[in-house]
């Protein structure tokens, strides 16, 4: 909790306390904490002198501002047309199989969450997915198995990709 | 089919940008009115989809008396099948920054923003570095101009200009009523020029070579070249700069896999063109041309005969249902009902005539929805249902 407060302090110092700093601050918290807890939203509201409901209403509008606890590695696989045509489902099944979770779930150890998302802008290299902010393209079941093995091996967090 | 087709490839956008300082310096020494006239006579139209003449947009903002004005580069690039703006910002960012600064000089603005979609977060470090280098040059030239990067957070609707302003203001990305238009009441209520990434890159070409070089490409009402994002059933997916006004038949000759059944022009919010209409369809902005001319942000998705058009429509409708901001009823409820409706027809719970009811619903949405998202659902819906009716039912 103290850590979140400190983070919010730093972010408001960096971006200011105007309403127009709200999105960058929310993004900054998500980057560090993986999601926006109710506590964080209330504290951000306090720091910017806004009603908490406004902060909540804004945050919940954006699909990249998670307000439920997410795993350390958030996988977002594209489900829009070209990725679907180019074998997204097989890739998705491979991920579900390896991590033993379904879309919308998080592994019990809190390492991986799996979501679907809309067109990532890599249709010419479909299917595509994001893991946190890293892009992976031209996916096949074999390729995704390799990628996930890489993450599973580094689970200790030494090579955390979050910036 | 006729041999001898010829698609004209163009190489302006990704041409070396190493002369950006010269272009900047040269432009800042010309009278603003002259720069505006250069743009107007090039007949450049916005490449973000709506096709508003860029020169007039800058002129409208220049004529505003406000002391504070903003420039925004729209890099939200969320239309399914579009991936050209990222390539521009990756390969020739200095062109875009230079264009923004020239716009600042022309309209009297000192603050600009790039609104970059959250999915492109990985571009942030490189872009920030380019911005720093660029601003240092502005300082050397004694030109007071600042550019900031603003990250989106995963909402397609924020590409709509007024929703984008709301988002930057720290609110839900819900489109505003228009008028007032951005050039008089934009970000924080100030006069704002908002342009697509590619539009800005084209202005660089125009300031470098003069309006004529640009104007000489293309056809009436659709001048210049355009980047196309090509995907789907094609042996060569990727990004191509082509002259506007090409026929879709020529395009398919070049990019198809020999079995092209239909092409979706302009992304999910665009139109599906079936094979029998390839010859009469040209790609460009609407004017008094013969045949059908389709405007586009540059997304070209090819489908071959192995694809079910039902699946395509189902996928688009799910996209719209999820991305609708939910602010107005025709769109929020309409998208839901269209998706449920085609599913019911497919399952045989409703008969084929139900599709006509759904078509009328999209017409209503076209007239009553508040913004371009809800209004354009009719485009893909009617062009798919009318051309592939059997596939919707069986
Ligand atoms: C739903 C919707 C999404 C849009 N998304 C984008 C986008 O991602 N990028 C863009 O440049 N324009 C987008 N636009 C168009 C913008 O509202 C605006 O017309 C454009 O940024 C103006 O720039 P231009 O004149 O240079 O094209 C979108 C419009 C709508 C209705
Ligand atoms: S048409 Fe759709 S996206 Fe546009 S304002 Fe209405 S609900 Fe929102
Ligand atoms: S459809 Fe998946 S990246 Fe565009």
């Amino acid at each position: 909790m103290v850590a979140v407060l400190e983070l919010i302090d730093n972010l408001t110092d960096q971006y200011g306390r105007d309403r127009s700093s709200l999105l960058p601050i929310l993004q900054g918290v998500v980057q560090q904490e993986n999601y926006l807890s109710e506590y964080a939203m209330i504290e951000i509201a306090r720091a910017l002198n806004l009603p908490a409901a406004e902060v909540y209403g804004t945050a919940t509008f954006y699909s990249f501002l998670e307000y439920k606890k997410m795993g350390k590695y958030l996988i977002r696989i594209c489900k829009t047309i070209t990725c679907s045509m180019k074998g997204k489902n097989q890739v998705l099944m491979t991920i579900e199989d390896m991590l033993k979770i379904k879309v919308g779930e998080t592994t019990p150890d809190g390492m991986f969450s799996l979501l679907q998302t809309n067109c990532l802008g890599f249709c010419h290299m479909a299917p595509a997915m994001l893991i946190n902010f890293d892009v992976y393209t031209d996916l096949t079941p074999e390729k995704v198995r390799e990628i996930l093995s890489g993450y599973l091996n580094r689970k200790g967090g030494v090579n955390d990709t979050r910036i | 089919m006729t041999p001898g087709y010829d698609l004209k490839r163009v190489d302006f956008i990704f041409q070396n940008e190493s002369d950006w300082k010269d272009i900047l310096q040269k432009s800042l020494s010309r009278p603003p009115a002259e720069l505006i006239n250069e743009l107007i006579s090039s007949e450049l139209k916005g490449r973000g989809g709506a096709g508003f003449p860029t020169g007039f947009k800058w002129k409208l903002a220049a004529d505003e008396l406000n002391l504070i004005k903003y420039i925004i580069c729209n890099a939200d690039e969320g239309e399914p099948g579009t991936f050209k703006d990222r390539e521009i910002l990756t390969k020739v960012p200095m062109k875009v920054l230079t264009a923004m600064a020239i716009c600042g000089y022309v309209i009297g603005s000192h603050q600009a923003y790039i609104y970059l979609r959250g999915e492109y977060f990985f571009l942030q470090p490189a872009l920030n570095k380019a911005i720093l280098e660029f601003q240092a040059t502005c300082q050397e030239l004694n030109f007071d101009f600042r550019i900031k990067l603003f990250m989106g957070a995963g909402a397609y609707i924020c590409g709509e200009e007024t929703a984008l302003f709301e988002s930057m203001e720290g609110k839900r990305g819900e489109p505003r009523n228009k008028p007032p238009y951005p050039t008089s009441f934009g970000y924080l209520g100030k006069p704002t020029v908002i342009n697509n990434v590619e539009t800005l890159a084209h202005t660089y070409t125009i300031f470098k070579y003069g309006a004529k070089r640009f104007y000489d490409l293309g056809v009436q009402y659709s001048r210049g070249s355009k980047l196309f994002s090509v995907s789907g059933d094609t042996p060569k997916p990727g990004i191509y700069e082509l002259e506007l006004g090409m026929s879709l038949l020529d395009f398919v000759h070049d990019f198809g896999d020999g079995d092209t059944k239909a092409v979706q022009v302009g992304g999910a919010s665009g139109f599906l063109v079936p094979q029998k209409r390839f010859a009469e369809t040209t790609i460009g902005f609407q004017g008094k041309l013969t045949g059908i001319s389709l405007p586009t942000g540059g997304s070209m998705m090819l489908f071959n005969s192995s694809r079910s058009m039902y699946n395509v429509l189902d996928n688009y409708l799910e996209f719209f249902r999820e991305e609708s901001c939910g602010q107005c009823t025709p769109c929020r409820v309409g998208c839901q009902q269209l998706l449920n409706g085609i599913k019911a027809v497919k399952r045989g719970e409703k008969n084929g005539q139900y599709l006509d009811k759904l078509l009328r619903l999209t017409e209503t949405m076209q007239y009553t929805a508040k913004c371009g998202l809800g209004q354009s659902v009719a485009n893909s819906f009617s062009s798919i249902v009318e051309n592939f009716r059997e596939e919707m039912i069986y």
Side-chain angles (χ1 to χ4, degrees):
Chain A
M1 297 252 174
V2 182
V4 183
L5 277 183
E6 213 170 286
L7 176 63
I8 293 170
D9 252 6
N10 292 341
L11 289 166
T12 46
D13 284 348
Q14 187 182 348
Y15 295 109
R17 289 182 160 72
D18 295 335
R19 174 92 194 229
S20 54
S21 349
L22 180 56
L23 237 59
I25 292 171
L26 293 171
Q27 287 162 335
V29 172
V30 172
Q31 259 173 62
Q32 284 298 318
E33 302 274 302
N34 293 5
Y35 82 114
L36 289 159
S37 61
E38 219 175 278
Y39 176 75
M41 287 197 257
I42 291 169
E43 287 307 321
I44 292 169
R46 203 194 306 273
L48 299 191
N49 207 7
L50 288 169
E54 281 284 315
V55 172
Y56 183 81
T58 302
T60 52
F61 184 84
Y62 297 93
S63 69
F64 276 32
L65 298 177
E66 304 298 336
Y67 52 96
K68 288 189 201 108
K69 199 163 170 48
M70 286 291 149
K72 177 171 177 178
Y73 299 114
L74 176 48
I75 304 170
R76 287 187 170 93
I77 183 160
C78 172
K79 67 174 167 69
T80 305
I81 187 70
T82 307
C83 289
S84 297
M85 282 169 25
K86 304 271 170 173
K88 178 270 289 182
N89 276 343
Q90 288 87 309
V91 174
L92 181 61
M93 273 156 55
T94 309
I95 301 174
E96 289 179 337
D97 212 47
M98 265 186 96
L99 300 178
K100 309 270 180 293
I101 50 172
K102 297 270 170 223
V103 171
E105 294 177 351
T106 301
T107 52
D109 63 359
M111 278 297 157
F112 296 93
S113 297
L114 178 59
L115 294 177
Q116 299 203 75
T117 191
N118 284 324
C119 182
L120 289 169
F122 285 89
C123 331
H124 54 326
M125 302 188 252
M129 69 174 181
L130 287 175
I131 300 186
N132 294 345
F133 289 110
D134 292 331
V135 186
Y136 297 93
T137 59
D138 294 306
L139 296 172
T140 57
E142 297 75 56
K143 193 167 167 189
V144 84
R145 220 170 276 135
E146 224 170 88
I147 295 165
L148 285 187
S149 305
Y151 277 87
L152 286 165
N153 292 337
R154 74 166 93 141
K155 246 166 68 165
V158 196
N159 293 313
D160 193 343
T161 56
R162 272 182 193 263
I163 305 160
Chain B
M1 287 186 203
T2 40
Y5 55 87
D6 184 23
L7 273 195
K8 184 145 178 212
R9 284 184 164 60
V10 181
D11 179 27
F12 277 136
I13 298 264
F14 295 116
Q15 210 181 69
N16 191 314
E17 61 171 355
S18 59
D19 52 4
W20 66 270
K21 281 186 196 176
D22 295 340
I23 306 297
L24 179 63
Q25 208 163 2
K26 191 181 93 186
S27 303
L28 295 186
S29 66
R30 295 171 68 186
E34 195 183 301
L35 294 165
I36 289 181
N37 285 337
E38 191 88 55
L39 275 191
I40 291 178
S41 56
S42 76
E43 292 189 13
L44 168 64
K45 291 180 180 171
R47 286 342 193 203
F52 191 83
T54 308
F56 286 110
K57 189 181 273 190
W58 289 25
K59 183 168 173 15
L60 286 172
D63 289 344
E64 291 285 331
L65 295 175
N66 222 308
L67 285 177
I68 298 176
K69 301 179 186 179
Y70 297 110
I71 293 163
I72 296 172
C73 167
N74 189 342
D76 199 45
E77 191 159 63
E79 187 64 53
T82 314
F83 37 86
K84 61 178 176 90
D85 291 339
R86 180 189 62 241
E87 189 90 344
I88 297 176
L89 291 173
T90 307
K91 290 195 171 150
V92 288
M94 288 306 181
K95 288 193 181 180
V96 178
L97 303 181
T98 303
M100 291 171 86
I102 297 173
C103 181
Y105 167 69
V106 166
I107 71 162
S109 161
H110 303 283
Q111 181 69 56
Y113 297 90
I114 299 173
Y115 189 102
L116 184 68
R117 74 182 301 211
E119 287 82 346
Y120 295 169
F121 186 89
F122 60 90
L123 257 187
Q124 208 181 17
L127 258 184
N128 273 329
K129 195 167 155 256
I131 290 172
L132 278 181
E133 186 191 342
F134 184 80
Q135 293 194 148
T137 302
C138 287
Q139 252 172 2
E140 279 166 32
L141 297 175
N142 265 328
F143 180 57
D144 174 21
F145 196 69
R146 290 167 305 274
I147 301 175
K148 270 193 205 153
L149 196 53
F150 194 99
M151 294 307 300
Y156 164 69
I157 191 59
C158 289
E160 196 281 337
E161 52 198 17
T162 61
L164 186 149
F165 301 147
E166 293 287 305
S167 172
M168 284 182 61
E169 290 173 14
K171 298 179 230 158
R172 297 165 68 85
E174 291 174 348
R176 303 173 182 168
N177 282 315
K178 282 192 271 191
Y181 293 100
T183 45
S184 59
F185 191 93
Y187 177 50
L188 298 174
K190 305 292 184 215
T192 304
V193 164
I194 176 162
N195 272 134
N196 172 255
V197 177
E198 184 190 343
T199 309
L200 290 165
H202 283 297
T203 69
Y204 186 95
T205 305
I206 293 163
F207 294 134
K208 177 171 172 179
Y209 293 112
K212 192 170 178 311
R213 279 284 286 277
F214 184 86
Y215 180 89
D216 283 348
L217 292 173
V219 295
Q220 203 184 3
Y221 305 112
S222 302
R223 295 292 170 187
S225 55
K226 164 105 199 62
L227 288 184
F228 289 90
S229 308
V230 183
S231 67
D233 295 313
T234 165
K236 42 183 178 183
I239 297 152
Y240 299 87
E241 185 172 357
L242 304 170
E243 190 174 0
L244 276 180
M246 66 186 170
S247 100
L248 194 54
L249 187 63
D250 291 344
F251 176 83
V252 170
H253 269 302
D254 201 329
F255 290 95
D257 61 358
D259 183 27
T260 308
K261 162 172 156 183
V263 179
Q264 178 81 12
V265 179
S269 60
F271 296 83
L272 185 96
V273 185
Q275 191 197 16
K276 62 175 191 273
R277 297 253 156 79
F278 288 169
E280 67 199 58
T281 306
T282 56
I283 304 302
F285 300 99
Q286 259 125 358
K288 291 173 212 123
L289 289 163
T290 47
I292 313 155
S293 186
L294 293 181
T296 168
S299 162
M300 305 291 268
M301 298 191 258
L302 293 90
F303 302 107
N304 68 20
S305 65
S306 75
R307 306 300 177 186
S308 146
M309 289 300 126
Y310 172 84
N311 287 348
V312 173
L313 183 58
D314 184 290
N315 192 279
Y316 290 166
L317 289 175
E318 189 174 304
F319 172 81
F320 286 126
R321 191 200 55 192
E322 288 175 7
E323 298 294 343
S324 163
C325 82
Q327 194 187 176
C328 66
T329 316
C331 172
R332 185 186 62 243
V333 179
C335 290
Q336 187 78 48
Q337 294 205 337
L338 291 173
L339 185 58
N340 293 343
I342 64 160
K343 283 186 195 295
V345 171
K346 193 72 180 173
R347 283 195 301 257
E349 293 161 17
K350 301 267 188 201
N351 64 19
Q353 272 136 34
Y354 190 68
L355 291 171
D356 299 317
K357 275 200 180 147
L358 298 177
L359 280 167
R360 279 199 297 280
L361 172 58
T362 62
E363 251 171 65
T364 309
M365 290 169 69
Q366 201 167 6
Y367 294 112
T368 55
K370 185 170 175 180
C371 86
L373 187 150
Q375 290 160 8
S376 63
V377 173
N379 299 348
S380 49
F381 191 91
S382 59
S383 56
I384 294 176
V385 167
E386 279 161 12
N387 288 300
F388 294 97
R389 206 179 170 93
E390 307 78 56
E391 290 192 29
M392 301 301 121
I393 302 171
Y394 305 109

